[in-house]
Amino acid sequence: MYNILITGSKGFIGKNLIKKLKNNEEINILEFTRNDSIGDLINFLSKSDFIFHLAGEVRPDSNAEDFKNSNMILTHRLVKILEKLNKKIPILLVSSIHAKLLKDEYGKTKRESELLIEKYSIDNKANCVIYRLPHVFGEDCKPNYNSVISTWMFNSINNLEINVFDKNIKMNYVYVQDIVREFINKLDEQQNNLYVEPNQVYDTTLGEIVDYIKEFKQNIDNMKFNIKSNEFKNKLFNTYRNYYNKEMKGKL
């Protein structure tokens, strides 16, 4: 049995990753959340063969201390525990393109986390991967949290206003299902580049997203509604339909 630790397992990406991994009977999933203790972390790390380090603060209304504690201090503790246990195992860290920009505390703490994993990887010859993600959308992302797409879809389904400051703002997005597939593929790779960016990134604008959402609302019950030759729009519609179905069941 292959023991995989997922930090931040209750988060948006974590939940989607676990759904995929549960299809593999040879994998035992260990989940670490913000409600667990350092003792729990030590116990999980002692058993782990691979780590998906997804935990981190992403909410825009968080303060500098929140970002430091969740993004950098947890990573520091994780690495130090592994060193005390003399464990040299692969870590896949989910970072952000903001780590390259260093414009705010979120980006700075993400960069500090990257450097900790980079040093651990080099010192221990561990096959680590640092994923720098742009904005992520997809199923199970909470509305009114940190994703404008999920918030706008929620508003659309509930007949609430969609507020757009500037429709011309350019955005880069990745689809969560694409990302978790890439993550799982890293389990079988013997040699990875340390810094990785997603294979499939969609360039769009806020205005385009709003227009698509309005179209989805008009056609959500139209069984003949068909989207041709537009991967991004198809994946957006899958997400919208997922939220819509949950709302109809009173689960959103």
Side-chain angles (χ1 to χ4, degrees):
M1 187 66 71
Y2 197 58
N3 291 318
I4 293 179
L5 171 62
I6 302 176
T7 70
S9 59
K10 301 300 183 186
F12 166 42
I13 298 176
K15 287 189 287 187
N16 279 281
L17 177 60
I18 287 172
K19 284 181 183 178
K20 295 286 186 184
L21 289 173
K22 281 186 174 178
N23 295 326
N24 190 329
E25 296 180 353
E26 296 180 358
I27 289 177
N28 179 45
I29 301 170
L30 306 171
E31 299 186 44
F32 180 81
T33 72
R34 65 180 64 213
N35 295 321
D36 292 319
S37 67
I38 295 302
D40 293 323
L41 182 60
I42 294 171
N43 180 43
F44 292 149
L45 289 172
S46 68
K47 302 173 182 176
S48 299
D49 302 304
F50 190 102
I51 302 167
F52 288 107
H53 186 25
L54 314 182
E57 188 60 69
V58 296
R59 291 173 296 179
D61 60 347
S62 298
N63 59 41
E65 197 64 23
D66 292 330
F67 288 128
K68 183 178 179 181
N69 287 333
S70 295
N71 297 338
M72 190 271 287
I73 291 179
L74 178 60
T75 304
H76 181 265
R77 286 174 174 166
L78 186 150
V79 167
K80 288 301 179 184
I81 292 169
L82 287 174
E83 289 175 350
K84 287 184 179 179
L85 294 171
N86 195 31
K87 295 203 70 171
K88 303 175 182 181
I89 60 175
I91 303 171
L92 187 152
L93 170 70
V94 170
S95 185
S96 165
I97 56 172
H98 291 277
K100 295 192 292 185
L101 305 175
L102 303 177
K103 289 183 177 180
D104 51 27
E105 286 303 312
Y106 173 67
K108 291 175 183 176
T109 54
K110 279 296 186 183
R111 179 58 182 150
E112 289 171 354
S113 296
E114 289 182 351
L115 292 172
L116 288 166
I117 298 300
E118 180 178 331
K119 186 176 187 303
Y120 169 83
S121 179
I122 293 170
D123 291 348
N124 295 283
K125 295 182 174 58
N127 194 23
C128 297
V129 185
I130 298 171
Y131 255 90
R132 285 177 167 169
L133 299 182
H135 298 282
V136 186
F137 76 95
E139 297 81 355
D140 291 324
C141 186
K142 292 189 292 186
N144 299 305
Y145 191 70
N146 73 321
S147 168
V148 69
I149 287 180
S150 60
T151 300
W152 285 350
M153 288 184 175
F154 175 85
N155 288 357
S156 169
I157 292 165
N158 288 278
N159 300 311
L160 301 174
E161 186 177 357
I162 294 177
N163 297 309
V164 191
F165 176 71
D166 183 351
K167 287 189 174 183
N168 295 314
I169 292 177
K170 296 179 180 180
M171 302 291 289
N172 305 112
Y173 276 98
V174 291
Y175 183 46
V176 69
Q177 304 299 338
D178 295 337
I179 288 302
V180 297
R181 274 193 293 270
E182 285 193 39
F183 287 179
I184 291 171
N185 287 339
K186 294 299 179 185
L187 291 171
D188 298 321
E189 289 190 13
Q190 297 302 313
Q191 183 61 45
N192 294 310
N193 294 323
L194 182 60
Y195 287 92
V196 176
E197 295 189 5
N199 292 329
Q200 182 61 69
V201 178
Y202 298 101
D203 301 323
T204 185
T205 64
L206 293 182
E208 184 176 60
I209 293 169
V210 170
D211 291 342
Y212 287 158
I213 289 174
K214 289 179 179 178
E215 184 181 347
F216 298 159
K217 183 175 180 64
Q218 293 171 355
N219 291 280
I220 187 65
D221 293 318
N222 180 1
M223 299 301 292
K224 295 182 180 179
F225 181 57
N226 187 25
I227 300 170
K228 296 180 179 179
S229 304
N230 189 327
E231 281 188 12
F232 177 60
K233 188 176 180 180
N234 262 307
K235 291 169 182 177
L236 273 178
F237 184 61
N238 288 340
T239 304
Y240 190 94
R241 185 164 47 199
N242 177 266
Y243 289 161
Y244 179 82
N245 291 337
K246 286 185 176 181
E247 182 66 18
M248 293 303 100
K249 295 177 182 178
K251 294 183 178 180
L252 189 62

Coordinates of all heavy atoms in Angstrom, one line a residue, residues 164-223:
V164 N -19.1 43.4 -12.3 CA -17.8 43.4 -13.0 C -17.2 44.8 -13.1 O -17.8 45.7 -13.6 CB -18.0 42.9 -14.5 CG1 -16.6 42.6 -15.1 CG2 -18.9 41.7 -14.5
F165 N -16.1 44.9 -12.5 CA -15.4 46.3 -12.4 C -14.9 46.7 -13.8 O -15.1 47.8 -14.2 CB -14.3 46.2 -11.4 CG -13.5 47.5 -11.4 CD1 -14.0 48.7 -10.8 CD2 -12.2 47.6 -11.9 CE1 -13.3 49.8 -10.8 CE2 -11.4 48.7 -11.9 CZ -12.0 49.9 -11.4
D166 N -14.3 45.7 -14.5 CA -13.8 46.0 -15.8 C -13.8 44.8 -16.6 O -13.0 43.8 -16.4 CB -12.3 46.6 -15.7 CG -11.7 47.0 -17.0 OD1 -12.3 46.7 -18.1 OD2 -10.6 47.6 -17.0
K167 N -14.6 44.7 -17.7 CA -14.8 43.5 -18.5 C -13.5 43.2 -19.3 O -13.4 42.1 -19.8 CB -16.0 43.6 -19.4 CG -17.3 43.5 -18.7 CD -18.5 43.5 -19.7 CE -19.8 43.2 -19.0 NZ -20.9 43.1 -20.0
N168 N -12.7 44.2 -19.5 CA -11.5 44.0 -20.3 C -10.3 43.4 -19.6 O -9.2 43.1 -20.2 CB -11.1 45.3 -20.9 CG -12.1 45.8 -21.9 OD1 -12.7 45.1 -22.7 ND2 -12.5 47.1 -21.8
I169 N -10.4 43.2 -18.3 CA -9.3 42.6 -17.5 C -9.0 41.2 -18.0 O -9.9 40.3 -18.0 CB -9.6 42.6 -16.0 CG1 -9.7 44.0 -15.4 CG2 -8.6 41.8 -15.2 CD1 -10.1 44.1 -14.0
K170 N -7.7 41.0 -18.3 CA -7.3 39.7 -18.8 C -7.0 38.7 -17.6 O -6.5 39.1 -16.6 CB -6.0 39.8 -19.7 CG -6.3 40.6 -20.9 CD -5.0 40.7 -21.8 CE -5.3 41.5 -23.1 NZ -4.1 41.7 -23.9
M171 N -7.4 37.4 -17.8 CA -7.2 36.4 -16.8 C -6.6 35.2 -17.4 O -6.9 34.9 -18.5 CB -8.6 36.1 -16.1 CG -9.3 37.3 -15.5 SD -8.4 37.9 -14.0 CE -8.7 36.6 -12.9
N172 N -5.9 34.4 -16.5 CA -5.4 33.1 -16.9 C -6.0 32.1 -16.0 O -5.9 32.2 -14.7 CB -3.9 33.0 -16.8 CG -3.2 34.1 -17.7 OD1 -2.6 35.0 -17.2 ND2 -3.4 34.0 -19.0
Y173 N -6.6 31.0 -16.5 CA -7.3 30.0 -15.7 C -6.8 28.6 -16.1 O -6.5 28.3 -17.2 CB -8.8 30.1 -15.9 CG -9.5 31.1 -15.0 CD1 -9.8 32.4 -15.6 CD2 -9.8 30.9 -13.7 CE1 -10.4 33.3 -14.8 CE2 -10.4 31.8 -12.9 CZ -10.7 33.1 -13.5 OH -11.3 34.0 -12.7
V174 N -6.9 27.7 -15.0 CA -6.7 26.3 -15.3 C -7.9 25.6 -14.6 O -8.5 26.1 -13.7 CB -5.4 25.7 -14.7 CG1 -4.2 26.2 -15.4 CG2 -5.3 26.1 -13.2
Y175 N -8.3 24.5 -15.2 CA -9.4 23.7 -14.8 C -9.0 22.6 -13.8 O -8.0 21.9 -14.0 CB -10.1 23.0 -16.0 CG -11.3 22.2 -15.7 CD1 -12.4 22.7 -14.9 CD2 -11.5 21.0 -16.3 CE1 -13.5 22.0 -14.7 CE2 -12.7 20.2 -16.1 CZ -13.7 20.7 -15.3 OH -14.8 20.0 -15.1
V176 N -9.7 22.6 -12.7 CA -9.2 21.7 -11.5 C -9.1 20.3 -11.9 O -8.1 19.6 -11.5 CB -10.2 21.9 -10.3 CG1 -11.5 21.3 -10.6 CG2 -9.5 21.3 -9.1
Q177 N -9.9 19.7 -12.8 CA -9.8 18.3 -13.2 C -8.6 18.1 -14.0 O -7.9 17.0 -13.9 CB -11.0 17.9 -14.0 CG -12.4 18.1 -13.3 CD -12.5 17.3 -12.1 OE1 -11.8 16.3 -11.9 NE2 -13.4 17.7 -11.2
D178 N -8.2 19.1 -14.8 CA -6.9 19.0 -15.6 C -5.7 18.9 -14.6 O -4.8 18.2 -14.8 CB -6.7 20.1 -16.5 CG -7.8 20.1 -17.6 OD1 -8.3 19.1 -17.9 OD2 -8.0 21.2 -18.2
I179 N -5.8 19.8 -13.6 CA -4.7 19.9 -12.6 C -4.5 18.6 -11.8 O -3.4 18.2 -11.6 CB -4.9 21.1 -11.7 CG1 -4.7 22.4 -12.5 CG2 -4.0 21.1 -10.5 CD1 -3.3 22.6 -13.1
V180 N -5.6 18.1 -11.3 CA -5.4 16.9 -10.5 C -4.9 15.7 -11.3 O -4.2 14.9 -10.8 CB -6.7 16.5 -9.7 CG1 -7.1 17.6 -8.8 CG2 -7.9 16.2 -10.7
R181 N -5.3 15.6 -12.6 CA -4.7 14.6 -13.4 C -3.2 14.8 -13.6 O -2.5 13.8 -13.5 CB -5.4 14.6 -14.8 CG -6.7 13.8 -14.9 CD -7.1 13.6 -16.3 NE -7.5 14.8 -17.0 CZ -8.7 15.3 -17.0 NH1 -9.7 14.7 -16.3 NH2 -9.0 16.4 -17.6
E182 N -2.8 16.0 -13.8 CA -1.3 16.3 -13.8 C -0.6 15.9 -12.5 O 0.4 15.3 -12.5 CB -1.1 17.7 -14.1 CG -1.3 18.1 -15.6 CD -0.8 19.5 -15.9 OE1 0.3 19.8 -15.4 OE2 -1.4 20.3 -16.6
F183 N -1.2 16.2 -11.4 CA -0.7 15.9 -10.1 C -0.5 14.4 -10.0 O 0.6 13.9 -9.5 CB -1.6 16.4 -9.0 CG -1.6 17.9 -8.8 CD1 -2.4 18.4 -7.8 CD2 -0.8 18.7 -9.5 CE1 -2.4 19.8 -7.6 CE2 -0.8 20.1 -9.3 CZ -1.6 20.6 -8.4
I184 N -1.5 13.6 -10.3 CA -1.5 12.2 -10.2 C -0.4 11.6 -11.1 O 0.3 10.6 -10.7 CB -2.9 11.6 -10.4 CG1 -3.8 12.0 -9.3 CG2 -2.8 10.0 -10.5 CD1 -5.3 11.6 -9.5
N185 N -0.3 12.1 -12.2 CA 0.8 11.6 -13.2 C 2.2 11.8 -12.6 O 3.1 11.0 -12.9 CB 0.7 12.4 -14.5 CG -0.5 12.0 -15.3 OD1 -1.1 10.9 -15.1 ND2 -0.9 12.8 -16.3
K186 N 2.4 12.7 -11.7 CA 3.7 13.0 -11.1 C 4.0 11.8 -10.1 O 5.2 11.7 -9.8 CB 3.7 14.3 -10.3 CG 3.6 15.5 -11.2 CD 4.7 15.6 -12.2 CE 4.5 16.8 -13.1 NZ 5.6 16.9 -14.2
L187 N 3.1 11.1 -9.7 CA 3.4 9.9 -8.8 C 4.2 8.9 -9.5 O 5.0 8.2 -8.8 CB 2.1 9.3 -8.3 CG 1.2 10.1 -7.4 CD1 -0.2 9.4 -7.2 CD2 1.9 10.3 -6.0
D188 N 4.1 8.8 -10.8 CA 4.8 7.7 -11.5 C 6.1 8.2 -12.2 O 6.8 7.4 -12.8 CB 3.9 7.1 -12.6 CG 2.7 6.5 -11.9 OD1 2.9 5.8 -10.9 OD2 1.6 6.6 -12.5
E189 N 6.3 9.5 -12.2 CA 7.5 10.1 -12.9 C 8.7 9.9 -12.0 O 8.7 10.3 -10.8 CB 7.3 11.5 -13.2 CG 6.3 11.7 -14.3 CD 6.3 13.2 -14.9 OE1 7.2 14.0 -14.5 OE2 5.3 13.5 -15.6
Q190 N 9.8 9.4 -12.5 CA 11.0 9.2 -11.8 C 11.9 10.5 -11.7 O 12.6 10.6 -10.8 CB 11.8 8.1 -12.4 CG 11.1 6.7 -12.4 CD 10.8 6.3 -11.0 OE1 11.6 6.3 -10.1 NE2 9.5 5.8 -10.8
Q191 N 11.7 11.3 -12.7 CA 12.5 12.6 -12.7 C 11.6 13.7 -13.1 O 11.1 13.7 -14.2 CB 13.7 12.4 -13.6 CG 14.6 13.6 -13.6 CD 15.3 13.9 -12.2 OE1 15.7 13.0 -11.6 NE2 15.2 15.1 -11.8
N192 N 11.5 14.7 -12.2 CA 10.7 15.9 -12.6 C 11.6 17.1 -12.6 O 12.6 17.2 -11.9 CB 9.6 16.1 -11.5 CG 8.6 15.0 -11.5 OD1 8.1 14.6 -12.5 ND2 8.3 14.4 -10.3
N193 N 11.1 18.1 -13.4 CA 11.7 19.5 -13.2 C 11.1 20.0 -11.9 O 10.0 19.7 -11.5 CB 11.3 20.4 -14.3 CG 11.9 19.9 -15.7 OD1 13.0 19.5 -15.7 ND2 11.1 20.0 -16.7
L194 N 11.9 20.8 -11.2 CA 11.5 21.2 -9.9 C 10.3 22.2 -10.0 O 9.3 22.1 -9.3 CB 12.7 21.9 -9.1 CG 12.4 22.4 -7.7 CD1 11.9 21.3 -6.8 CD2 13.6 23.1 -7.1
Y195 N 10.5 23.2 -10.9 CA 9.4 24.2 -11.1 C 8.6 23.8 -12.3 O 9.1 23.6 -13.4 CB 10.0 25.6 -11.2 CG 10.5 26.1 -9.9 CD1 11.8 25.9 -9.5 CD2 9.6 26.8 -9.0 CE1 12.3 26.4 -8.2 CE2 10.1 27.2 -7.7 CZ 11.4 27.1 -7.4 OH 11.8 27.5 -6.2
V196 N 7.3 23.8 -12.1 CA 6.4 23.3 -13.2 C 5.2 24.3 -13.3 O 4.7 24.8 -12.3 CB 5.9 21.9 -12.9 CG1 4.9 21.4 -14.0 CG2 7.0 20.9 -12.8
E197 N 4.8 24.5 -14.5 CA 3.5 25.3 -14.7 C 2.6 24.3 -15.5 O 3.0 23.4 -16.2 CB 3.8 26.6 -15.5 CG 4.6 27.5 -14.7 CD 4.7 28.9 -15.3 OE1 4.1 29.2 -16.3 OE2 5.5 29.7 -14.7
P198 N 1.3 24.6 -15.3 CA 0.3 23.6 -15.9 C 0.4 23.5 -17.4 O 0.8 24.5 -18.1 CB -1.1 24.3 -15.5 CG -0.7 25.2 -14.4 CD 0.6 25.7 -14.6
N199 N 0.0 22.3 -17.9 CA 0.1 22.1 -19.4 C -1.0 22.9 -20.1 O -0.7 23.4 -21.2 CB -0.1 20.6 -19.7 CG 1.0 19.8 -19.2 OD1 2.2 20.2 -19.2 ND2 0.7 18.5 -18.8
Q200 N -2.2 23.0 -19.5 CA -3.3 23.7 -20.2 C -3.7 24.9 -19.4 O -4.3 24.8 -18.3 CB -4.5 22.7 -20.4 CG -5.7 23.3 -21.1 CD -5.3 23.7 -22.5 OE1 -5.1 22.9 -23.4 NE2 -5.3 25.0 -22.8
V201 N -3.5 26.1 -20.0 CA -3.9 27.3 -19.3 C -4.8 28.1 -20.3 O -4.4 28.2 -21.5 CB -2.7 28.2 -19.0 CG1 -3.1 29.6 -18.4 CG2 -1.7 27.5 -18.0
Y202 N -5.9 28.6 -19.9 CA -6.8 29.3 -20.7 C -6.7 30.8 -20.5 O -6.9 31.3 -19.4 CB -8.3 28.8 -20.4 CG -8.5 27.3 -20.7 CD1 -8.5 26.4 -19.7 CD2 -8.6 26.9 -22.1 CE1 -8.6 25.0 -20.0 CE2 -8.8 25.5 -22.3 CZ -8.8 24.6 -21.3 OH -9.0 23.3 -21.6
D203 N -6.5 31.5 -21.6 CA -6.4 33.0 -21.5 C -7.8 33.5 -21.9 O -8.4 33.1 -22.9 CB -5.4 33.5 -22.6 CG -4.0 33.0 -22.3 OD1 -3.7 32.8 -21.1 OD2 -3.3 32.7 -23.3
T204 N -8.3 34.4 -21.0 CA -9.7 34.9 -21.2 C -9.8 36.3 -20.6 O -8.8 36.9 -20.3 CB -10.7 34.0 -20.5 OG1 -12.0 34.4 -20.8 CG2 -10.5 33.9 -19.0
T205 N -11.0 36.9 -20.6 CA -11.2 38.2 -20.0 C -12.4 38.0 -19.0 O -13.2 37.1 -19.2 CB -11.5 39.3 -21.0 OG1 -12.7 38.9 -21.7 CG2 -10.4 39.4 -22.0
L206 N -12.6 38.9 -18.1 CA -13.7 38.9 -17.2 C -15.0 39.0 -18.0 O -16.0 38.4 -17.7 CB -13.6 40.0 -16.1 CG -12.5 39.8 -15.1 CD1 -12.5 41.0 -14.1 CD2 -12.5 38.5 -14.4
G207 N -15.0 39.9 -19.0 CA -16.2 40.1 -19.8 C -16.6 38.8 -20.6 O -17.8 38.5 -20.6
E208 N -15.6 38.0 -21.1 CA -16.0 36.8 -21.8 C -16.6 35.8 -20.8 O -17.6 35.1 -21.1 CB -14.7 36.2 -22.4 CG -15.0 35.0 -23.2 CD -13.7 34.4 -23.9 OE1 -12.7 34.1 -23.2 OE2 -13.7 34.4 -25.1
I209 N -16.1 35.7 -19.6 CA -16.6 34.8 -18.6 C -18.1 35.2 -18.3 O -18.9 34.3 -18.2 CB -15.7 34.8 -17.3 CG1 -14.4 34.2 -17.6 CG2 -16.4 34.0 -16.2 CD1 -13.4 34.4 -16.5
V210 N -18.3 36.4 -18.0 CA -19.7 36.9 -17.7 C -20.6 36.6 -18.9 O -21.8 36.1 -18.6 CB -19.7 38.4 -17.4 CG1 -21.1 38.9 -17.3 CG2 -19.0 38.7 -16.1
D211 N -20.2 36.8 -20.1 CA -21.1 36.5 -21.3 C -21.4 35.0 -21.3 O -22.5 34.6 -21.6 CB -20.4 37.0 -22.5 CG -20.3 38.5 -22.7 OD1 -21.0 39.2 -22.0 OD2 -19.5 38.9 -23.5
Y212 N -20.4 34.2 -21.1 CA -20.6 32.7 -21.1 C -21.6 32.4 -20.0 O -22.6 31.6 -20.2 CB -19.3 32.0 -20.8 CG -18.4 32.0 -22.0 CD1 -17.0 31.7 -21.8 CD2 -18.8 32.2 -23.3 CE1 -16.1 31.7 -22.9 CE2 -18.0 32.1 -24.4 CZ -16.6 31.9 -24.2 OH -15.7 31.9 -25.2
I213 N -21.5 32.9 -18.8 CA -22.4 32.6 -17.7 C -23.8 33.0 -18.0 O -24.8 32.2 -17.7 CB -21.9 33.2 -16.4 CG1 -20.6 32.5 -15.9 CG2 -22.9 33.2 -15.3 CD1 -19.9 33.2 -14.7
K214 N -24.0 34.1 -18.6 CA -25.3 34.6 -19.0 C -25.9 33.6 -20.0 O -27.1 33.3 -20.0 CB -25.3 36.0 -19.6 CG -25.0 37.1 -18.5 CD -24.9 38.4 -19.2 CE -24.7 39.5 -18.1 NZ -24.5 40.9 -18.7
E215 N -25.1 33.1 -20.9 CA -25.6 32.2 -21.9 C -25.9 30.8 -21.3 O -26.9 30.2 -21.6 CB -24.5 31.9 -23.0 CG -24.9 31.0 -24.1 CD -23.8 30.8 -25.1 OE1 -22.8 31.6 -25.1 OE2 -23.9 29.9 -26.0
F216 N -25.1 30.4 -20.3 CA -25.4 29.1 -19.6 C -26.8 29.2 -18.9 O -27.6 28.3 -18.9 CB -24.3 28.8 -18.5 CG -23.0 28.6 -19.1 CD1 -21.8 28.8 -18.3 CD2 -22.8 28.3 -20.4 CE1 -20.5 28.6 -18.8 CE2 -21.5 28.1 -21.0 CZ -20.4 28.2 -20.2
K217 N -27.0 30.4 -18.2 CA -28.3 30.6 -17.5 C -29.5 30.4 -18.4 O -30.5 29.8 -18.1 CB -28.3 31.9 -16.8 CG -29.6 32.1 -15.9 CD -29.5 33.4 -15.2 CE -30.7 33.7 -14.3 NZ -30.9 32.6 -13.3
Q218 N -29.3 31.0 -19.6 CA -30.4 30.9 -20.6 C -30.7 29.5 -21.1 O -31.8 29.2 -21.6 CB -30.2 31.9 -21.7 CG -30.2 33.3 -21.3 CD -29.7 34.3 -22.4 OE1 -29.2 33.8 -23.5 NE2 -29.7 35.6 -22.2
N219 N -29.6 28.7 -21.1 CA -29.7 27.4 -21.7 C -29.5 26.2 -20.8 O -29.4 25.0 -21.3 CB -28.6 27.3 -22.8 CG -28.9 28.2 -24.0 OD1 -29.7 27.9 -24.8 ND2 -28.3 29.4 -24.0
I220 N -29.5 26.4 -19.5 CA -29.1 25.3 -18.6 C -30.1 24.1 -18.7 O -29.8 23.0 -18.5 CB -29.0 25.8 -17.1 CG1 -28.5 24.7 -16.2 CG2 -30.4 26.3 -16.6 CD1 -27.1 24.3 -16.5
D221 N -31.4 24.4 -19.0 CA -32.4 23.4 -19.1 C -32.7 23.0 -20.6 O -33.6 22.1 -20.8 CB -33.7 23.9 -18.5 CG -33.6 24.0 -17.0 OD1 -33.0 23.2 -16.3 OD2 -34.1 25.0 -16.5
N222 N -31.9 23.5 -21.5 CA -32.1 23.2 -22.9 C -31.2 21.9 -23.2 O -30.0 22.0 -23.3 CB -31.6 24.4 -23.7 CG -31.8 24.1 -25.2 OD1 -32.2 23.0 -25.7 ND2 -31.4 25.1 -26.0
M223 N -31.8 20.8 -23.4 CA -31.1 19.6 -23.6 C -30.3 19.6 -24.9 O -29.4 18.8 -25.1 CB -32.1 18.4 -23.6 CG -32.8 18.2 -22.3 SD -31.7 18.0 -20.9 CE -31.1 16.4 -21.3

